[in-house]
Amino acid sequence: MTQVLTDASIEHSATIVEFPGGDHRVDPKRVARLARRVVAGPDAEQSVSICPMTGQPLATLPVSTPEDVTVAMSAARAAQRGWAALPVQRRAAVLLRFHDLVLEHESELMDLIQLEAGKARRHAFEEIADCAIVARHYGRRASAYLSDTRHLGALPVLTQTVEAHHPKGVVGIISPWNYPLSLAITDALPALVAGNAVVLRPDQKCRVTALAGMELLVEAGLPQDVVQIVLGPGGTTGQAVVEQADYVCFTGSTPTGRRIAETAARRLIGYSLELGGKNTMYIADDAHLDRAVEGAVRGCFSSAGQLCISAERLVVHERIHDAFVGRFIQAVEAMRIGTELRWGIDMGSLVGQEQLELVSAHVEDARAKGATVLTGGRARPDLGPFCYEPTVLEGVTPQMRCRDEETFGPVVSIYPVASDDEAVAIANDTDYGLNASVWTRDGRRGRELARRIHSGTVNVNEAYAAAWGSVGAPMGGMKDSGVGRRHGREGILKYTESQNIAVQRITGFGGLPGMSDQRFAALLNTSLKVMKMVRLP
Ligand code: NAD
């Protein structure tokens, strides 16, 4: 396949090399430099990753054994003490410098994201923006989030109570392949600024991007050893991280999340899990149709649907069904699909063969059981070995796999409804609860509908970016979509141990000198009544 190097990628041609036949590989010199950051022995097994855009080898990197993970943990633990001792403002300054570096190096990072994940450049840019937004937020707000909080003491005035926060120690981060920069880095940022060290184990498919992101963090001033990177299969290297970290942040599927939670529960360590979804987008009868169509195309097909918060169920009010579906199909059919390192492509490739097989199986199962394929429904090997057309189904029933299982691909099913109640019922008829989207011109109706949907984020008149990018507010899944939240106060305090320091002044709870227990109890009884009367919290 011939690939075209654009001005943007030529500018950073040190990052990638074009091989005969047009295949791109990450420059072996760059890979060798990044490989030095991987904790692995000199004789480590090497593993080759495949570029989804070409199906050809992309980069060769070492595999870390569970023993290497132990080495990484010790180094991280040793470095963490000095890092935590720095004033929070010093740690926050690293994030703010990282913000600038990510934006400065966006082109080179987007090349890597595209080459490893196969996505279109516009979707790679979302990862750049996400890193910058999260770095800015925690760079500016960490100090306030982490500062001591005064609380009303047990005995007002006499008890002075302060809530303090201490870093957990070493946070293990297991990140997936679908957002290789964003999900490897943005969960590490609040952990780091809170004074933790991090042991990162990125997915095997997207290791170079994660390494490049971490290299930028070090360039921004992060002490080398505070972040350790280990590479290798989830069942061995990943599992070893979960077995040894003081806290685990995992992003991936629900079955793997359950296994990680079992290990964490046995070890009595905290964890957060950002898992799968079966997200609904509802187009109400008063929706602005042009905006809804644009939002639906983005919401269903960003990163070829390999986005945990993308929509796989499109619920459409029957009054506008025909008008909306007609325009939506037209917009989907106009999408430019491709595997090139340039702007102007609307959807890229799936990440690999396994994902292609899963997506094809869901569509074939639906077709065989009577669903109508309104558009798409075919692999496109002419565009890339793992490309699949954006696909819209109608007539999907509970017997079909794609009704309830997460497809994690460019496949959406349309469900017509006669009322808002019916739409909410479909949105809630799933074990997942990650993201939802509601389109209506009536802001109040949108907010009311949002509260009725059991989902960690609900976007009104947006597909996913409004909630995702509002990083001061928590984001994460209800039900089988996860435990815990990223972003905002919750997204940083989860990486800390909170401590209650209460100082008792003058007299305490043992009674007053010379006062009987009975009289002291009577005094407390009266005091408690007064406290409620004066509306103390
Ligand atoms: P997966 O659960 O199969 O794997 C996720 C990662 O965990 C992989 O890198 C894997 O190697 C590793 N892993 C496997 N077993 C492990 C173990 N025992 N210990 C530690 N690590 C282990 O998921 P996937 O198919 O790679 O990713 C797609 C899934 O991720 C989808 O379900 C998607 O919805 C979900 N996801 C969720 C979010 C979110 O924020 N909620 C974001 C992106 C992806």
Side-chain angles (χ1 to χ4, degrees):
M1 178 187 323
T2 307
Q3 306 248 5
V4 183
L5 274 182
T6 61
D7 291 349
S9 42
I10 285 165
E11 190 188 318
H12 293 278
S13 54
T15 311
I16 55 172
V17 174
E18 194 166 351
F19 278 69
D23 292 340
H24 290 124
R25 305 215 186 148
V26 184
D27 179 358
K29 285 200 264 317
R30 178 99 199 262
V31 176
R33 194 179 79 221
L34 291 171
R36 286 200 286 278
R37 286 206 51 77
V38 179
V39 183
D43 303 323
E45 183 193 328
Q46 303 289 311
S47 107
V48 182
S49 55
I50 299 296
C51 174
M53 295 178 137
T54 60
Q56 296 302 312
L58 182 68
T60 303
L61 282 161
V63 175
S64 313
T65 61
E67 293 71 36
D68 295 325
V69 174
T70 305
V71 171
M73 286 283 167
S74 317
R77 237 173 255 297
Q80 187 263 335
R81 289 187 278 276
W83 174 241
L86 293 177
V88 62
Q89 291 80 0
R90 290 267 303 278
R91 299 196 298 263
V94 173
L95 269 60
L96 294 172
R97 278 196 296 274
F98 175 75
H99 167 278
D100 298 346
L101 287 173
V102 162
L103 294 179
E104 221 173 276
H105 290 264
E106 66 157 33
S107 197
E108 163 195 352
L109 289 168
M110 285 192 294
D111 286 348
L112 292 179
I113 294 169
Q114 285 198 270
L115 287 170
E116 286 201 304
K119 61 178 71 180
R121 203 158 187 84
R122 61 187 303 183
H123 302 138
F125 180 75
E126 292 183 338
E127 303 202 39
I128 305 290
D130 188 35
C131 284
I133 292 169
V134 174
R136 188 194 69 222
H137 178 73
Y138 284 116
R140 296 265 182 251
R141 297 281 296 146
S143 179
Y145 285 142
L146 296 167
S147 63
D148 289 357
T149 313
R150 281 184 175 281
H151 291 278
L152 180 73
L155 296 177
V157 185
L158 297 182
T159 320
Q160 290 185 334
T161 306
V162 162
E163 174 189 333
H165 293 277
H166 302 280
K168 292 268 185 189
V170 178
V171 171
I173 295 182
I174 313 278
S175 59
W177 45 263
N178 61 332
Y179 275 64
L181 183 70
S182 197
L183 294 176
I185 302 291
T186 62
D187 287 321
L189 296 177
L192 291 167
V193 77
N196 297 284
V198 163
V199 173
L200 170 69
R201 183 275 175 190
D203 190 89
Q204 282 292 81
K205 294 186 191 72
C206 293
R207 307 161 298 174
V208 182
T209 309
L211 281 161
M214 284 302 172
E215 189 180 51
L216 280 191
L217 261 175
V218 172
E219 196 179 328
L222 186 74
Q224 288 269 0
D225 282 353
V226 171
V227 166
Q228 304 284 326
I229 303 197
V230 291
L231 301 178
T236 50
T237 316
Q239 181 68 23
V241 172
V242 182
E243 289 284 357
Q244 298 185 52
D246 301 317
Y247 184 93
V248 174
C249 172
F250 170 77
T251 305
S253 68
T254 301
T256 310
R258 280 190 212 284
R259 276 199 295 282
I260 286 173
E262 281 164 13
T263 307
R266 176 168 48 74
R267 298 192 54 231
L268 293 180
I269 60 160
Y271 57 90
S272 57
L273 307 173
E274 302 283 338
L275 309 176
K278 191 75 194 174
N279 309 307
T280 296
M281 178 178 283
Y282 173 44
I283 319 294
D285 52 354
D286 66 343
H288 188 298
L289 288 194
D290 288 336
R291 280 189 61 194
V293 165
E294 184 279 329
V297 169
R298 232 169 358 95
C300 302
F301 304 120
S302 278
S303 293
Q306 300 163 115
L307 165 63
C308 53
I309 46 181
S310 66
E312 295 193 359
R313 297 166 154 197
L314 204 41
V315 174
V316 185
H317 198 289
E318 62 187 14
R319 268 193 220 113
I320 45 106
H321 175 275
D322 292 353
F324 172 81
V325 174
R327 287 190 217 191
F328 179 57
I329 297 297
Q330 217 176 2
V332 173
E333 289 179 347
M335 285 173 73
R336 295 156 296 182
I337 315 164
T339 52
E340 291 159 50
L341 295 175
R342 64 172 175 89
W343 297 97
I345 302 286
D346 299 311
M347 196 183 93
S349 169
L350 292 168
V351 79
Q353 185 61 28
E354 222 177 296
Q355 210 58 27
L356 179 63
E357 282 169 16
L358 177 68
V359 169
S360 309
H362 274 207
V363 173
E364 287 324 307
D365 170 73
R367 215 195 294 258
K369 291 173 182 163
T372 307
V373 180
L374 296 181
T375 188
R378 281 185 311 159
R380 290 295 300 269
D382 53 318
L383 299 173
F386 311 118
C387 280
Y388 198 91
E389 287 178 344
T391 300
V392 184
L393 305 176
E394 198 161 48
V396 167
T397 63
Q399 289 70 39
M400 302 175 192
R401 289 182 66 185
C402 69
R403 165 67 168 67
D404 295 315
E405 285 177 39
E406 185 184 36
T407 306
F408 218 55
V411 181
V412 64
S413 310
I414 295 184
Y415 301 89
V417 291
S419 67
D420 287 356
D421 286 350
E422 214 183 315
V424 170
I426 292 183
N428 289 337
D429 183 18
T430 163
D431 292 336
Y432 292 113
L434 191 56
N435 183 43
S437 161
V438 173
W439 294 77
T440 165
R441 284 174 208 254
D442 178 349
R444 188 166 159 193
R445 179 181 179 189
R447 278 190 290 274
E448 281 174 5
L449 279 166
R451 286 179 189 278
R452 295 172 60 197
I453 298 175
H454 306 149
S455 167
T457 48
V458 184
N459 291 267
V460 178
N461 295 329
E462 213 326 283
Y464 58 85
W468 185 20
S470 300
V471 296
M475 123 144 242
M478 295 182 184
K479 304 194 279 183
D480 284 0
S481 289
V483 175
R485 297 288 182 268
R486 55 165 61 104
H487 297 169
R489 178 178 294 277
E490 282 184 64
I492 183 166
L493 294 188
K494 70 182 181 183
Y495 295 125
T496 66
E497 290 286 1
S498 49
Q499 185 181 41
N500 173 336
I501 303 174
V503 178
Q504 191 62 30
R505 303 160 72 217
I506 309 171
T507 184
F509 294 82
L512 293 168
M515 192 182 267
S516 71
D517 285 356
Q518 190 176 4
R519 281 202 57 210
F520 184 65
L523 178 64
L524 273 185
N525 182 306
T526 307
S527 308
L528 290 170
K529 286 175 184 155
V530 171
M531 283 193 247
K532 179 171 180 248
M533 208 166 63
V534 300
R535 308 185 79 80
L536 288 187

